[in-house]
Amino acid sequence: MTASPLLFDRTLHRRRLDRAAPDFGAADFLKARAAQDVVMRLETILRRFPVAVDLGARNGHFFKALSESDARANIDALFETDLSGRMLAGRDTARVVADEERLPFGDATLDLVVSTLSLHWTNDLVGALIQIRRALRPDGLFVGALFGGATLTELRQCLLAAEAELTDGATMRVSPFADAIDAAGLLQRAGFALPVADVDRVKVRYAHPIALLRDLRQMGETSVLLDRSRKPLTRKVLFRAMELYAERFAEADGKVPATFEIVSVTGWAPHDSQQKPLRPGSAKMRLADALGTKEQPAGDKAG
């Protein structure tokens, strides 16, 4: 087997999170939204989860949302983890500094794993999901949210266009994100049962695109691509990118939108009690009979 290619500099990512930690609360609105969505999903599942883990907890929005929900009664113990120790500092919860690429949990030791807006920075997303599935007990649940491919599409286009216009060539300045269409397939590849995925597309409006860059820095979401240009983005290129952003995307009131695509996924560690798809040919009624239509030979078209 060949190792997955390294896309991200995880050491740099940890440093960026450490830097963002003191001001993370000023730009944590997407984290809060994703955490509240996960809790709402848990409210519909009437079962206990003795041991739960929040991967990439940041400043604890999942714990906060859970504490205000009836779902809290179904979780006996919650452990928060983050790649950044500074993100976890100063709270009374059970906390563990941990890398999502190398989880410290034994096989079949957890009942619930949640992760909101952190797994998109893993070099091997399927590998990280496999580790999560192995850490779950049979019939354990994983609920996650990560940024999808349409995220920051406006910024990506403008940075590429400005750099191509003013330099010898353009380099990728915005990290790639997983395709929302393939999200359930990623869970299947990782061995999860009953995978489900859906998309929440959020449009955030800013008075000026430079405010978006400030938010990304405070979120710890600036690019850490290994194959990034080692040349810093020049002021001239940055200003041109901001001009293009306003020219191409400004709305009637002058504000500019930034797209964030949040892909939510759920999957279960396999267990014999779970629903299984019917074997081909095991149906007791023909589809044509059920629909009340006349069956036609393959290749014929209805007139």
Side-chain angles (χ1 to χ4, degrees):
M1 295 180 63
T2 57
S4 297
L6 295 179
L7 298 175
F8 305 118
D9 184 337
R10 296 284 292 177
T11 300
L12 178 59
H13 181 46
R14 188 190 68 246
R15 291 204 301 265
R16 295 275 174 84
L17 291 174
D18 285 344
R19 180 186 68 185
D23 299 318
F24 186 79
D28 60 356
F29 53 93
L30 293 173
K31 184 74 171 179
R33 184 187 183 103
Q36 289 165 0
D37 180 73
V38 169
V39 170
M40 289 176 62
R41 293 167 191 267
L42 292 176
E43 288 173 347
T44 67
I45 301 172
L46 303 179
R47 58 173 290 181
R48 286 182 61 251
F49 299 101
V51 182
V53 166
D54 178 9
L55 297 179
R58 303 296 188 258
N59 64 344
H61 265 296
F62 173 72
F63 176 79
K64 296 171 187 174
L66 183 67
S67 299
E68 299 169 356
S69 165
D70 292 340
R72 180 68 184 91
N74 296 330
I75 296 176
D76 297 340
L78 174 66
F79 296 89
E80 293 182 312
T81 81
D82 205 279
L83 183 64
S84 165
R86 293 191 68 186
M87 281 287 184
L88 296 174
R91 298 204 304 279
D92 295 330
T93 54
R95 293 157 289 157
V96 180
V97 176
D99 188 337
E100 295 94 337
E101 294 188 341
R102 293 182 292 275
L103 296 183
F105 309 107
D107 290 353
T109 56
L110 308 176
D111 302 286
L112 170 68
V113 175
V114 303
S115 180
T116 54
L117 304 185
S118 70
L119 288 174
H120 54 275
W121 288 115
T122 56
N123 283 295
D124 180 6
L125 179 54
V126 173
L129 292 172
I130 289 173
Q131 289 188 62
I132 293 170
R133 192 254 303 159
R134 288 175 176 170
L136 286 168
R137 294 187 176 98
D139 209 29
L141 176 63
F142 168 65
V143 187
L146 58 157
F147 285 128
T151 297
L152 298 176
T153 180
E154 303 90 352
L155 180 62
R156 180 182 289 107
Q157 293 175 46
C158 294
L159 285 172
L160 284 172
E163 200 163 15
E165 177 184 319
L166 298 176
T167 68
D168 294 334
T171 60
M172 189 178 296
R173 300 281 183 176
V174 177
S175 298
F177 301 101
D179 193 330
I181 297 175
D182 296 332
L186 293 174
L187 289 181
Q188 285 183 315
R189 287 173 57 193
F192 281 96
L194 309 174
V196 177
D198 55 72
V199 176
D200 176 20
R201 185 167 290 189
V202 183
K203 183 175 77 170
V204 182
R205 294 181 355 117
Y206 291 94
H208 191 279
I210 203 72
L212 166 63
L213 300 185
R214 182 178 63 247
D215 269 2
L216 293 175
R217 181 183 174 94
Q218 291 178 328
M219 294 175 188
E221 291 291 332
T222 50
S223 177
V224 292
L225 284 166
L226 276 171
D227 194 26
R228 66 191 182 279
S229 173
R230 283 346 191 226
K231 296 180 180 178
L233 198 63
T234 66
R235 185 180 296 268
K236 186 176 181 181
V237 170
L238 179 60
F239 283 176
R240 181 55 181 152
M242 299 299 97
E243 288 177 348
L244 291 173
Y245 205 127
E247 291 171 8
R248 295 182 180 184
F249 299 107
E251 298 179 342
D253 60 359
K255 292 187 176 182
V256 295
T259 297
F260 293 92
E261 186 177 70
I262 301 176
V263 183
S264 297
V265 294
T266 61
W268 297 82
H271 187 267
D272 290 340
S273 66
Q274 293 165 351
Q275 287 182 304
K276 303 293 191 302
L278 293 174
R279 297 189 308 276
S282 64
K284 294 181 172 59
M285 178 183 289
R286 296 188 312 149
L287 180 60
D289 293 339
L291 297 177
T293 62
K294 184 178 180 180
E295 189 172 22
Q296 297 182 3
D300 290 354
K301 293 183 179 180

